[in-house]
Amino acid sequence: TVSGLIISITSSVAIAFIFTRDLALAGLTFANLVFIVVSLLGLFWSMNWCIGAMEMITITILVGLSCDFCLHLAMAYVQKGHVLRKASERGLASLRELGGPIVASAATTCLACFPMTLCTIQLFVRVGSVLILCMILSVMTGIFVFSPMLMTFGPPNGGYFPWLRISGAAPNHAAAKSHSSSSAPSE
């Protein structure tokens, strides 16, 4: 069960690196995922829930769902590098663009899981409750933990480790400047 969780987190971080092409963003994703899992385990402990196979399977699913929110914000952060230079501006712009859709996604998942909490079979009640907790925790950490991490520690446009970037991943600022200057009205 713990090995499944480790594989799940490692896979999610690898996917974050593949899509963002930046080791620093993958590292921030890893930190956020660990924060979410530890927080969820703390919630289980505070509610006196035993962690069985079902909870571990649900936590493994949580890692994938949580990574989705982080990855969307990280990709928006990378894409904003064509226009904005400062990490704080890029992080805020990505949050402005995707904050609403991320909250809506979490809300629809919670609404879909709510009927499970009304079942008489306790397994369904537990799965529904855990998924709702996971969604709330994931969206809260995506907005209030991951986004501030992007704004504070987010990599510059070339990345902290440009030699690890996949060819063609770095934003082409010269092309962006020539495009914006060519579309400007001439005097």
Side-chain angles (χ1 to χ4, degrees):
T1 55
V2 174
S3 62
L5 184 59
I6 292 170
I7 291 169
S8 179
I9 290 175
T10 305
S11 300
S12 295
V13 171
I15 294 297
F17 176 71
I18 289 169
F19 283 109
T20 63
R21 299 177 183 162
D22 194 291
L23 187 61
L25 289 175
L28 292 176
T29 300
F30 172 75
N32 193 59
L33 290 175
V34 168
F35 180 80
I36 291 170
V37 169
V38 168
S39 298
L40 189 64
L41 292 174
L43 281 172
F44 285 171
W45 180 78
S46 70
M47 294 186 296
N48 292 323
W49 280 7
C50 294
I51 299 175
M54 189 276 310
E55 285 83 8
M56 286 307 292
I57 291 169
T58 309
I59 290 173
T60 304
I61 293 168
L62 154 79
V63 171
L65 294 172
S66 301
C67 183
D68 185 47
F69 295 152
C70 298
L71 192 56
H72 278 82
L73 289 168
M75 284 304 299
Y77 180 89
V78 169
Q79 291 169 351
K80 297 297 178 194
H82 295 291
V83 180
L84 303 170
R85 292 255 187 229
K86 293 171 127 182
S88 59
E89 293 172 349
R90 292 167 67 190
L92 188 59
S94 62
L95 183 60
R96 282 184 182 149
E97 180 179 326
L98 294 177
I102 286 173
V103 170
S105 172
T108 57
T109 303
C110 288
L111 288 173
C113 292
F114 179 72
M116 292 178 72
T117 64
L118 303 175
C119 291
T120 55
I121 300 172
Q122 288 304 304
L123 177 68
F124 292 149
V125 172
R126 185 72 64 99
V127 169
S129 300
V130 169
L131 285 173
I132 289 171
L133 282 173
C134 292
M135 283 295 96
I136 292 170
L137 193 58
S138 297
V139 76
M140 298 301 281
T141 56
I143 292 172
F144 297 113
V145 176
F146 187 71
S147 292
M149 283 194 307
L150 281 178
M151 292 178 210
T152 307
F153 306 112
N157 289 341
Y160 290 124
F161 311 103
W163 60 89
L164 289 175
R165 293 181 69 86
I166 297 172
S167 176
N172 186 351
H173 296 292
K177 285 182 183 176
S178 69
H179 175 69
S180 64
S181 64
S182 66
S183 63
S186 56
E187 296 181 49

